[in-house]
Amino acid sequence: MTAGCDRPVIIEKQKEFEKMIKVVKFGGSSLASAEQFAKVGKIIHADKERRYVVPSAPGKRNSKDTKVTDMLYACYDLVEKDEDFRVMLMKIKDRYDTIINGLNLKLSLEEEFKKISENFKNKAGVDYAASRGEYLNGIIMANYLGYEFVDAAEVIFFDEDGNFMPEKTDKVLSERLAKTERAVIPGFYGAKEDGTIKTFSRGGSDITGSIVSRAVRATCYENWTDVSGFLIADPRIIDNPKPIKTITYRELRELSYMGAGVLHEDAVFPVRKAGIPINIRNTNAPEDEGTWIVESTCHQSKYTITGIAGKKGFVSVNIDKDMMNSEIGFGRKVLSAFEDNGISFEHMPSGIDTMTIFVHQPEFEGKEQAVISAIHRYAQPDSIELESDLALIAVVGRGMKSTRGTAGRIFSALAHANINVKMIDQGSSELNIIIGVSNADFENAIKAIYDIFVITQL
Ligand code: ASP
């Protein structure tokens, strides 16, 4: 064939290469067994745009099972105590061999496990140990799919102090993946410049997926897990809560901070910078649309609110002082008392002569007397009172900005449910309303709010 004849083919190929790129991350439960791997393989092959795959380590196969990452931590614990770790390591190998055999792969991890055992003996570090979960699963996944394996240690970087290096990573990773049409990049870890393995915090494969999405300028980052996206409220409190179809990064941040799990808190940052949407999907129900996490949207939620989340275990520090509002610097003096004791505060509603600081109970308990005396020294209040066992509930929704009466509806719902509201705080962005109630009222308060916005809306 002449070069001229090749041209259209090359252009065609190039066009296809430049088309949509999806990065797909699969969580531990999606990769816990050969059956789950097979589902994942089907999902990937169903869409040729799914070109870069980020796997977690094998998770639990049932509620009594142990995640491979936890097994690795336990195994390395033995290493550190100079106890025999070989039986434990063989159990881990067994988990992988069961997957390999179940998929009929011609792959042996014998050599890899020899190397791991050697490195354990040489005390390669706990992060190295934990990272092997994703590393080995990545090797299996690449073999199963026929994709190239790219070790995260060569493309994801941390500095000497263990801080993630976004720019260096983006440069090296994007150059590396530009040469590879389809690849598997294990989640959760990278390496320091001296080659030492470093992991992100638990659940960190979500972050890797986001970093890879940014590096390849993906059209979409699909995060496959075992639920069909975010739900409006916690299913342990509300029966069958409605799913959230679309949520903005900012709303998600508010809800994740208040305890709505599914995605690692830090996973939004790399894609947010690049304007790439995240789609949370369910490996066990791939037909479900899941939740879209986007920068901005004109899609309004049917219910005014997007979601409700909350946490128990707060203390309110109520400070009284006559004419407080006219005393310049009063707030700063009070906050210095918390700062000096290394305590961060959650919320700070205030009145004319009163100011309340919400703090985490476990963090505050050991230091309460030191904080109280510091407030007295710095700000000379008339009185300080503490109230413990409080819960904070965040009602989040971009729709609240354009809807009248949201706070009123929350109040009346709580009043009807006989719940005493201790605090209400609306952020100036009108994206969320935070409500303080006692721990004992937490579940009922969430039910009442869900009822008024979602059930009675139907
Ligand atoms: N395997 C790691 C963990 O269990 C990371 C992850 O799954 O994202 O935390």
Side-chain angles (χ1 to χ4, degrees):
M1 236 189 243
T2 65
C5 289
D6 272 348
R7 265 188 80 82
V9 180
I10 293 169
I11 292 169
E12 228 9 80
K13 260 213 134 332
Q14 210 166 7
K15 266 197 205 150
E16 189 171 305
F17 201 69
E18 280 167 6
K19 260 197 222 154
M20 318 268 276
I21 300 176
K22 289 179 185 161
V23 171
V24 284
K25 180 258 166 183
F26 290 89
S29 59
S30 302
L31 300 168
S33 64
E35 292 73 37
Q36 290 298 91
F37 257 79
K39 286 186 196 167
V40 166
K42 236 179 158 180
I43 290 168
I44 294 171
H45 292 308
D47 183 348
K48 61 180 188 323
E49 290 163 5
R50 295 181 175 134
R51 289 177 22 192
Y52 299 102
V53 182
V54 176
S56 283
K60 293 182 181 193
R61 289 160 294 187
N62 52 60
S63 59
K64 290 197 188 79
D65 203 9
T66 311
K67 287 179 168 193
V68 165
T69 308
D70 291 320
M71 293 169 88
L72 285 161
Y73 279 122
C75 188
Y76 200 73
D77 209 33
L78 298 173
V79 174
E80 281 183 325
K81 289 184 194 142
D82 290 320
E83 286 175 25
D84 191 357
F85 63 84
R86 282 170 304 183
V87 176
M88 188 70 183
L89 194 58
M90 282 309 106
K91 267 198 199 160
I92 296 169
K93 181 167 183 293
D94 216 48
R95 286 284 310 260
Y96 287 106
D97 284 343
T98 314
I99 295 174
I100 292 173
N101 295 335
L103 295 172
N104 287 320
L105 300 179
K106 284 183 192 54
L107 173 71
S108 163
L109 295 179
E110 209 61 48
E111 285 307 311
E112 292 293 348
F113 270 92
K114 264 191 207 151
K115 224 185 296 166
I116 292 170
S117 180
E118 253 338 280
N119 290 334
F120 275 20
K121 278 184 206 146
N122 296 329
K123 306 258 162 88
V126 64
D127 281 18
Y128 167 79
S131 75
R132 296 305 86 183
E134 275 59 19
Y135 171 80
L136 296 166
N137 231 18
I139 292 178
I140 299 179
M141 178 65 90
N143 186 287
Y144 180 52
L145 296 172
Y147 282 19
E148 191 176 328
F149 174 76
V150 175
D151 188 352
E154 292 166 17
V155 287
I156 293 193
F157 301 100
F158 292 86
D159 68 16
E160 265 173 41
D161 302 323
N163 300 310
F164 171 58
M165 297 169 78
E167 298 317 321
K168 179 174 177 187
T169 299
D170 193 53
K171 186 170 181 303
V172 175
L173 185 59
S174 57
E175 282 170 9
R176 177 74 180 79
L177 295 182
K179 295 185 211 138
T180 319
E181 196 176 338
R182 296 176 186 275
V184 173
I185 309 100
F188 192 38
Y189 72 95
K192 293 188 188 173
E193 286 175 293
D194 66 359
T196 323
I197 299 289
K198 170 90 186 91
T199 63
F200 292 107
S201 57
R202 294 299 303 265
S205 299
D206 285 340
I207 307 175
T208 310
S210 185
I211 292 166
V212 173
S213 302
R214 179 185 171 204
V216 300
R217 309 294 181 254
T219 20
C220 163
Y221 167 24
E222 288 181 350
N223 188 296
W224 291 81
T225 175
D226 52 10
V227 289
S228 293
F230 282 86
L231 301 170
I232 293 184
D234 188 337
R236 287 166 299 187
I237 300 174
I238 305 289
D239 276 343
N240 262 323
K242 300 267 173 217
I244 300 176
K245 271 198 179 160
T246 312
I247 184 169
T248 65
Y249 293 131
R250 288 177 61 211
E251 289 173 310
L252 177 67
R253 193 110 176 90
E254 300 285 346
L255 289 174
S256 313
Y257 186 69
M258 275 300 194
V262 179
L263 190 72
H264 191 295
E265 251 196 89
D266 296 340
V268 296
F269 297 116
V271 281
R272 184 176 183 169
K273 260 195 186 159
I276 300 165
I278 306 175
N279 187 198
I280 308 284
R281 300 285 291 268
N282 189 348
T283 302
N284 304 316
E287 61 288 354
D288 289 356
E289 195 193 328
T291 299
W292 282 93
I293 307 167
V294 298
E295 161 100 61
S296 173
T297 176
C298 52
H299 176 281
Q300 282 300 351
S301 159
K302 195 164 146 197
Y303 309 111
T304 305
I305 62 162
T306 303
I308 313 163
K311 277 189 199 162
K312 289 182 179 177
F314 292 92
V315 172
S316 71
V317 182
N318 308 311
I319 303 155
D320 258 305
K321 186 172 187 180
D322 284 345
M323 308 288 287
M324 173 193 293
N325 69 327
S326 56
E327 184 178 327
I328 291 170
F330 185 84
R332 179 183 48 76
K333 291 174 203 159
V334 168
L335 291 180
S336 309
F338 289 88
E339 187 179 346
D340 290 356
N341 284 286
I343 293 174
S344 62
F345 73 95
E346 272 317 284
H347 285 282
M348 192 180 59
S350 62
I352 301 173
D353 298 327
T354 62
M355 177 172 174
T356 301
I357 318 277
F358 277 80
V359 287
H360 285 276
Q361 195 157 334
E363 198 183 328
F364 180 71
E365 262 167 358
K367 296 176 179 167
E368 61 169 37
Q369 295 311 317
V371 174
I372 290 174
S373 69
I375 299 173
H376 274 291
R377 263 184 286 125
Y378 298 163
Q380 291 92 38
D382 296 335
S383 70
I384 302 176
E385 269 174 31
L386 301 183
E387 186 168 359
S388 60
D389 300 319
L390 297 176
L392 292 177
I393 296 168
V395 184
V396 177
R398 57 189 181 279
M400 293 188 327
K401 211 173 183 164
S402 50
T403 319
R404 268 176 300 145
T406 310
R409 286 169 80 191
I410 295 175
F411 271 135
S412 76
L414 294 175
H416 273 104
N418 275 324
I419 292 166
N420 182 19
V421 177
K422 309 256 179 198
M423 184 274 283
I424 183 155
D425 191 0
Q426 176 168 28
S428 51
S429 59
E430 287 188 68
L431 189 71
N432 63 349
I433 294 178
I434 309 283
I435 301 135
V437 297
S438 77
N439 275 350
D441 287 331
F442 179 69
E443 284 82 7
N444 283 339
I446 290 186
K447 279 185 195 147
I449 298 168
Y450 185 86
D451 260 27
I452 194 90
F453 285 103
V454 182
I455 307 279
T456 55
Q457 196 73 8
L458 293 176

